[in-house]
Amino acid sequence: MPHRTELYQDVPSTCWPIVYSPDYNITFMGLEKLHPFDAGKWGKVIDFLKEEKLVVDDLIVQAREATEDDLLVVHTRRYLNKLKWSFVVATITEIPPVLFLPNFLVQRKVLKPLRTQTGGTIMAGKLAVDRGWAINVGGGFHHCSSDKGGGFCAYADITLAIKFLFERVQGVSKATIIDLDAHQGNGHERDFMDDSRVYIMDAYNRYIYPGDGFAKRAIKRKVELEWGTEDTEYLQKVQTHVEGALNELKPDIIVYNAGTDILDGDPLGGLAISPQGIVKRDEVVFKAARSRRIPILMVTSGGYQKRTARIIADSILNLHNLGLIDKELATSGVENPKVEQMLRNSVADLSKLSLQ
Ligand SMILES: [Zn+2]
């Protein structure tokens, strides 16, 4: 019997399947400035979407914090207990000063935001199945597995979202993870190593963290990129392999890890994709999913430059302008003539893209 959870409550159909909470953002007396990350990017994405009049506060889904029982669906108690040590959290989040904080502050200021983002991913999983698509404005902690954190990732939100769906939602028994963050997603790869229900496609810079050779064995489609890979080559590879992955196996849910650290100038990613390239990439993935009528859950994952939030917002606006995401479309399902038209357009568009 699955445990009782608050994360699968019904959401009013008037809401966008966009999940967020102000609690996502990490702020602590300037401590966050010691990190190379823009630890407030999630709030800025929502601010841009509000400025552009796409969303208002009442019509986005408020993320709830994942409880210990929720986390235990994937995590070991041993691992959760280790997070009660500030030095462990300092190592995982790569924020060294966290080492000097009493753990109650670490829990409140660092781990609670990450647990709320994790709850958001789990909630967005169900929403995606109900509505055809969903976006968690945070999450995408793809270096964390059931028993080990790392690379800023303290909770395995992708694994959790998929396991919740498998356990609680009828008709969901196959998942495909499309991981396009600049880093290899070794967390979900370790978690689903011997699980034939999960198909993993991963495209990443082959020379950077984590270089997890063992985890690579779980990848069904591995796209290893060179330093400084640019838009044309990147988008061609993404399209070929996303299409290939979905043609090989039609899943009941796609989890799209849409890291933006592929952006040119990212201090960690080492790739050279333009802002327009990122917007196009998300478009390619959504078209592939929507044209096949496979529910898609997007999480934002890595990428913390100052201009990152604007690019994520622009991408969501682009998806909306193209009719790939829509509130109306979401609530009225695939019977909607508007959807049928959108799907026809995207198939026509896809053939154009491959000629570029
Ligand atoms: Zn990354």
Side-chain angles (χ1 to χ4, degrees):
M1 263 284 281
H3 74 285
R4 253 186 72 81
T5 181
E6 298 287 305
L7 299 175
Y8 266 22
Q9 289 184 352
D10 283 334
V11 168
S13 62
T14 48
C15 281
W16 284 90
I18 294 179
V19 184
Y20 170 72
S21 160
D23 289 345
Y24 280 13
N25 303 292
I26 299 169
T27 50
F28 186 64
M29 300 191 314
L31 185 75
E32 69 279 5
K33 297 196 181 66
L34 298 171
H35 201 273
F37 286 4
D38 175 4
K41 81 164 176 181
W42 308 286
K44 288 175 198 156
V45 171
I46 290 292
D47 287 344
F48 286 130
L49 293 178
K50 284 197 239 172
E51 261 173 50
E52 305 282 347
K53 309 263 186 292
L54 184 77
V55 299
V56 291
D57 276 330
D58 290 346
L59 296 185
I60 50 182
V61 179
Q62 278 281 326
R64 291 162 183 265
E65 185 180 350
T67 63
E68 184 164 55
D69 280 345
D70 294 327
L71 297 170
L72 284 169
V73 167
V74 165
H75 288 293
T76 59
R77 202 172 284 279
R78 188 184 86 114
Y79 174 71
L80 296 181
N81 284 339
K82 276 205 276 186
L83 297 178
K84 292 175 181 155
W85 295 92
S86 296
F87 78 88
V88 173
V89 180
T91 309
I92 289 171
T93 58
E94 297 169 0
I95 314 175
V98 162
L99 171 61
F100 303 107
L101 295 180
N103 194 263
F104 80 92
L105 279 180
V106 173
Q107 291 292 332
R108 194 188 303 161
K109 296 292 184 178
V110 181
L111 292 178
K112 186 180 176 196
L114 300 180
R115 278 194 297 266
T116 309
Q117 294 194 30
T118 298
T121 303
I122 296 169
M123 292 166 73
K126 178 163 186 297
L127 274 168
V129 172
D130 291 345
R131 307 283 197 92
W133 67 277
I135 295 172
N136 180 15
V137 173
F141 307 129
H142 65 157
H143 299 305
C144 188
S145 59
S146 62
D147 197 42
K148 196 171 189 299
F152 189 64
C153 306
Y155 302 106
D157 66 323
I158 293 175
T159 310
L160 278 158
I162 292 173
K163 291 233 159 127
F164 264 68
L165 287 172
F166 283 171
E167 283 182 11
R168 290 164 193 269
V169 178
Q170 261 206 333
V172 181
S173 59
K174 283 176 296 172
T176 290
I177 300 171
I178 296 176
D179 192 335
L180 302 185
D181 183 276
H183 300 88
Q184 179 202 347
N186 59 328
H188 55 74
E189 285 157 15
R190 284 176 172 260
D191 285 336
F192 292 120
M193 180 63 70
D194 297 309
D195 195 328
S196 58
R197 298 171 297 178
V198 181
Y199 182 107
I200 299 173
M201 174 204 155
D202 198 349
Y204 52 86
N205 181 339
R206 67 193 306 169
Y207 302 109
I208 59 174
Y209 178 88
D212 189 335
F214 174 72
K216 283 181 189 178
R217 288 163 35 188
I219 308 175
K220 295 279 191 318
R221 248 171 214 267
K222 187 165 61 184
V223 185
E224 298 203 313
L225 303 165
E226 300 295 322
W227 290 113
T229 299
E230 293 178 6
D231 288 14
T232 312
E233 182 192 345
Y234 179 75
L235 289 171
Q236 233 153 38
K237 286 190 167 159
V238 166
Q239 188 178 359
T240 306
H241 291 287
V242 167
E243 296 277 323
L246 298 179
N247 289 342
E248 209 170 303
L249 178 114
K250 189 177 177 192
D252 305 309
I253 177 81
I254 293 167
V255 180
Y256 172 32
N257 195 49
T260 44
D261 51 4
I262 58 168
L263 180 64
D264 188 31
D266 187 278
L268 305 170
L271 303 173
I273 308 306
S274 70
Q276 301 84 334
I278 290 177
V279 170
K280 193 75 198 172
R281 173 196 69 169
D282 295 349
E283 187 185 316
V284 166
V285 176
F286 268 76
K287 276 180 179 166
R290 304 290 286 155
S291 64
R292 290 172 176 77
R293 299 190 168 89
I294 305 167
I296 178 167
L297 155 62
M298 169 174 151
V299 290
T300 59
S301 202
Y304 300 90
Q305 294 187 61
K306 284 275 173 279
R307 56 191 178 137
T308 302
R310 180 75 243 183
I311 298 168
I312 295 170
D314 283 343
S315 180
I316 294 173
L317 290 163
N318 179 59
L319 294 175
H320 181 244
N321 289 338
L322 293 172
L324 287 164
I325 61 172
D326 206 321
K327 195 148 62 98
E328 179 194 331
L329 175 156
T331 50
S332 50
V334 291
E335 307 306 311
N336 187 333
K338 202 174 155 191
V339 183
E340 296 301 328
Q341 187 56 46
M342 179 276 291
L343 294 175
R344 272 194 294 276
N345 292 346
S346 32
V347 173
D349 254 39
L350 276 177
S351 45
K352 262 184 270 163
L353 178 77
S354 49
L355 297 174
Q356 278 169 8

